[in-house]
Amino acid sequence: MTATAAAGTELKLNSVSIRPGRVLVWTLLFIGGVLMITPLLFMFSTSLKTASQVYDLRLIPAAPTFDNYIKVLSDGRFVRWFLNSTLVAVCVTLSNVFFDSLVGYTLAKFQFRGRYLIFIAILSTLMIPTEMLVIPWYLMSAQLGWIDSYWGIMFPGMMTAFGTFLMKQFFETVPDDFLEAARVDGLNEFTIWWKIAMPMVAPAISALAIFTFLGNWTAFFWPLIVTNSRELYTLPVGLSSFAVEQSIQWEMIMTGAALATIPTLIVFLVLQRYIVRGVMLAGLKG
């Protein structure tokens, strides 16, 4: 009986000693979450305010209004910029999924001379800063007549070294027995890749698609350089121009930023489990 009581007392002491640590961790996480989400909340809050209420720091506006959204959406340029970003992000994402998967599968499942050197050459491009590639991209675009065109915006990201590396690592985990069985059944290599190998690496495909879409949706530097006409601006470039035009009309600027942020929030909320799993798998495979 004494031993049981002593064990119970020790267990209580241990739980007491552990609990403050857990409280501290949760407190720090809560503070970090508040710090990260506060600017986002103020952005949406400001977008619902009138010009006279902008400098009122209350999170919930005294008289919320959607007039700012109506004004911004009634401007045909914003809708055009939104569609431009959607077109660019979707096309580049589909291209990445197709070409990165195809190259990754080839490097993972085919034995040929120079395969390792090709893979190293692809990976080496990850060490080159984007700023150093802008001038070659621009010169190429100028020589081929791609300046101020959708193709000029999209071509630098149509295939990426990171996507190739990620897909190669995943394709290496696909058992060769499945592929050999498909060859025995008479399937050609493209069909084997499309119908056998691709479904087996679906988590990697979803992660690559999500990261590529979000990256191109928020891309600013290259679209700013390669486009001249406002009709071809993507949403980040258009918002920058819009902010200059609106000068100190912060409620209009925050409304445009909120509309640009909503699609990324929807993608995250709907696909957050794939994003988390993709990050974990990418880290494990890397």
Side-chain angles (χ1 to χ4, degrees):
M1 188 70 180
T2 305
T4 304
T9 303
E10 183 179 356
L11 182 60
K12 290 181 179 179
L13 291 175
N14 289 336
S15 63
V16 170
S17 63
I18 293 174
R19 190 171 301 169
R22 292 182 178 179
V23 171
L24 178 61
V25 170
W26 284 108
T27 302
L28 292 176
L29 288 175
F30 176 77
I31 294 174
V34 170
L35 291 176
M36 287 187 289
I37 201 173
T38 298
L40 189 65
L41 294 177
F42 267 103
M43 178 185 69
F44 284 105
S45 174
T46 305
S47 70
L48 298 174
K49 296 177 180 179
T50 60
S52 60
Q53 297 175 334
V54 167
Y55 296 102
D56 182 357
L57 298 181
R58 284 182 293 183
L59 192 60
I60 300 177
T65 176
F66 288 95
D67 290 344
N68 297 329
Y69 287 89
I70 296 174
K71 292 178 183 178
V72 171
L73 292 175
S74 63
D75 188 341
R77 296 175 304 167
F78 188 89
V79 177
R80 180 62 182 266
W81 298 335
F82 190 94
L83 294 176
N84 288 343
S85 285
T86 302
L87 175 65
V88 170
V90 170
C91 290
V92 173
T93 299
L94 293 176
S95 175
N96 267 263
V97 170
F98 181 82
F99 288 110
D100 291 353
S101 299
L102 192 60
V103 175
Y105 175 78
T106 302
L107 293 173
K109 293 301 180 182
F110 288 91
Q111 301 293 330
F112 56 89
R113 182 175 299 178
R115 182 186 66 156
Y116 182 73
L117 292 178
I118 293 174
F119 181 59
I120 293 300
I122 293 174
L123 284 185
S124 64
T125 61
L126 292 173
M127 297 183 291
I128 304 176
T130 302
E131 291 76 10
M132 293 184 62
L133 297 173
V134 167
I135 294 178
W137 288 346
Y138 189 85
L139 293 177
M140 182 187 301
S141 300
Q143 292 175 358
L144 297 176
W146 295 345
I147 298 295
D148 207 28
S149 67
Y150 287 114
W151 181 249
I153 299 174
M154 293 187 293
F155 87 90
M158 299 296 281
M159 179 180 172
T160 62
F162 169 76
T164 301
F165 168 75
L166 179 67
M167 297 310 299
K168 176 184 178 297
Q169 298 301 103
F170 274 88
F171 277 124
E172 286 180 345
T173 64
V174 175
D176 293 333
D177 295 340
F178 290 98
L179 309 181
E180 292 297 334
R183 294 187 182 100
V184 171
D185 289 339
L187 297 180
N188 59 52
E189 292 298 334
F190 185 85
T191 305
I192 294 173
W193 165 73
W194 182 254
K195 292 187 176 182
I196 305 298
M198 287 289 277
M200 300 182 72
V201 294
I205 295 174
S206 62
L208 177 61
I210 293 168
F211 294 146
T212 304
F213 180 86
L214 295 178
N216 283 273
W217 182 266
T218 58
F220 175 79
F221 188 49
W222 173 246
L224 174 66
I225 292 175
V226 80
T227 54
N228 298 320
S229 59
R230 292 178 178 269
E231 291 76 15
L232 289 175
Y233 280 177
T234 57
L235 199 51
V237 179
L239 282 176
S240 176
S241 173
F242 182 76
V244 173
E245 292 176 2
Q246 297 299 323
S247 185
I248 58 173
Q249 297 184 26
W250 295 108
E251 72 281 2
M252 301 299 294
I253 296 173
M254 291 298 103
T255 301
L259 288 172
T261 305
I262 289 173
T264 60
L265 292 178
I266 293 174
V267 170
F268 177 78
L269 292 175
V270 174
L271 303 174
Q272 58 180 325
R273 72 172 184 269
Y274 296 104
I275 296 175
V276 174
R277 184 170 61 176
V279 171
M280 293 175 61
L281 291 175
L284 291 174
K285 296 299 177 183

